[in-house]
Every structure is written in structure tokens, then in C-alpha cells.
Amino acid sequence: MSGAEEGTHPTEPYPRDLGPEHPTVPLPPAAGAPAPGAAPGAGLPPRPPLPSAPVAVPPPRRRARWPWVLGIVVVVLAALVVGGEFVARAVVAQQIRSQVITALKLPADQQMDVNVGGIVLPQLVAGRLDDVRLSSKSVAIGPITSAVAVDAKGVPIRGGELGSARGTFRITADQLEKAITAAAGSTPIDSVTLDGKDVKATGSVKLFGATVPLALALTPGAEGGELTFTPTSATIGAMTLDASDTSSPFASALKPLFATQKLCIADRLPAGVHLSGLRVDGEALVATFSADSAITTDPNLLENGTCQGQ
């Protein structure tokens, strides 16, 4: 039996070669197969990308709190230091004022400003104040009321000698007039003015039974606790004489006018305070003084001094 007879799907024979007039029809390419002459791999579907390696994601960073805490602590400490400095400065100034008023026997309500230089707290720890300035606009010193300023260095807090202290009395012309009037004695002085480096005192004097206008040029100075006023020239009427002029017929009569006049204030100052100079400065007369370093350890130096002849 033939194949056609044995099954329902007979095998068709491969077509024979019919020659160049009847070429063989090639089979269509399979789906996805590359076209003839194409590069290897052409026509293939794109390869899916390979999975990348897993990337480690860092956990969210927690903001450190310690810098904030440290900042707050620093601010609090700074506030405490500033507050402590403010309180210490006020207390120290008040204590200095009280002790000075007591030591110098000044009125309890005496106006006095105290300024402590630098930062006070370290100086308190060291036991010595580097720079203390005291000032008052009005302090009575004998017949004179003057402004006083003192600059003290190395002020001991818990005992010990003072480093140094220097100061000035500033005497106005009207107060100076009182001082010169007190020093002039019998010579009548009506007014006092400041002229350059000299003090000019004007008044009148009786000469040969007549009252004659008088003007004295005085050079101020200080010596042994006394304010001194030394006449350098005298003008009587229209005549001016120098202290060294002895040829004038009036020299002998005017000689008493050229005597140095002295005003002692040592009995109004502590014995440990020493006058060192007196000069004209603008519209005031300025007396300079210094203090003995032992004035903070020797109570006797706080007692008033004495004038010569007392």
C-alpha cells in the first residue's frame, strides 16, 4: 500500500530541480531571524539591562546637640561674669569712697567719684588694684575750696604699702583770691587774675601818706606744705619796679611788697601727702602733690600735718 493510501497526510515529494527557468523559492525567514547578509545578532530583541549592584543608603544623620548646649553654657557663664564684674566694681568703688572719707575726716556726704581701671575680678583675686582714680569737684582745704583728682597705682586690698599716688588741687581765680588775701596780711588785695605763668594781684597801698594803686606779679610755688607767692615786679601808679631793683628811691619803702607770701595748708592735709608744685594752668591754679607709699600701713601718716612755727 502506498503512503497516500495508508494516512490522511501523505508526504509530498521535494520538488525536483526544474532548471534555471524555474528557480527554487526560498523559505521565508523565521520570526526574529536575521535577514540574509545582516550582522550577527541583528534582529534579535534588545537584551534587558542587568540589575545593578545594590547601593547602600546611609541612615538619616541626627543633628548633634552638644554644640548648642555648649553655646548656652558659654552664654550663661559670660552673663554671670559680666554681672559679677558689675557688682564687684560697684562694691569696690563704694568701699574705697567710704574708707577715703573716713581716713581724711571728710563730711559723710562728700561728693566723690571713684573709677577702678581694668577688669576688677582678677585684681580682687590678686589682692591689689592696678589703677584707681578719685575725683571731687569741691573739697575744702583750709581757706581754699578746690577740685581734687588723685591717680593711685597698686592699691592694696588686704594690707600692704601703696604703689604710688599723685594728684592735683585745681584752684579757681576766685578761690585763689581768698588764698592770696589770707597770705597778703596787711597788703590790701582787691582782685586776682591769672596772666600767663604768673598771678596778678591788684589793690592799693599807702605811700608817703597817699593811697596809690598797686599791682603785683606773683610767681606761684609750693614748699614744705605751703603755697608760696613770690612777687617778681610791682607797679605803683605809673612806675614798675623789679624785685632786684635797689636803685629806686622807693626801693626801701617797697621792699616789704617783694617778700614771699606763704599760705600753709599742711595742717589741713594728711602728713603722708606732700605738695610738689604750684603752677598756672589756663584759668586755674594747679597744685600737685604725691602720697607716701606707707600711708596705707602707718596710721600716723593719715593724721593732719603741721605748719612751720606751730
Side-chain angles (χ1 to χ4, degrees), residues 168-187:
T168 59
F169 302 123
R170 192 171 185 87
I171 308 167
T172 59
D174 59 335
Q175 292 295 321
L176 180 59
E177 184 173 305
K178 295 180 181 180
I180 293 180
T181 301
S186 59
T187 303

Side-chain angles (χ1 to χ4, degrees), residues 97 101 106-112:
R97 178 186 178 277
I101 287 177
L106 296 174
D109 59 350
Q110 173 69 51
Q111 177 270 327
M112 181 178 297

Side-chain angles (χ1 to χ4, degrees), residues 78-165:
L80 290 176
V81 170
V82 172
E85 172 70 14
F86 180 80
V87 172
R89 184 175 295 276
V91 171
V92 168
Q94 180 60 34
Q95 288 296 319
I96 292 175
R97 178 186 178 277
S98 177
Q99 291 182 18
V100 169
I101 287 177
T102 300
L104 300 182
K105 301 178 178 63
L106 296 174
D109 59 350
Q110 173 69 51
Q111 177 270 327
M112 181 178 297
D113 297 327
V114 179
N115 181 34
V116 181
I119 302 177
V120 174
L121 290 177
Q123 298 178 59
L124 292 179
V125 175
R128 187 172 290 269
L129 301 177
D130 297 333
D131 187 6
V132 178
R133 182 172 179 80
L134 300 92
S135 60
S136 180
K137 297 178 180 179
S138 178
V139 176
I141 304 173
I144 304 171
T145 299
S146 67
V148 178
V150 181
D151 190 8
K153 307 286 187 182
V155 179
I157 298 176
R158 293 182 289 271
E161 291 193 350
L162 177 68
S164 65

Side-chain angles (χ1 to χ4, degrees), residues 59 67 72 179 237 255 306 309:
I72 293 174
K255 186 177 180 179
T306 58

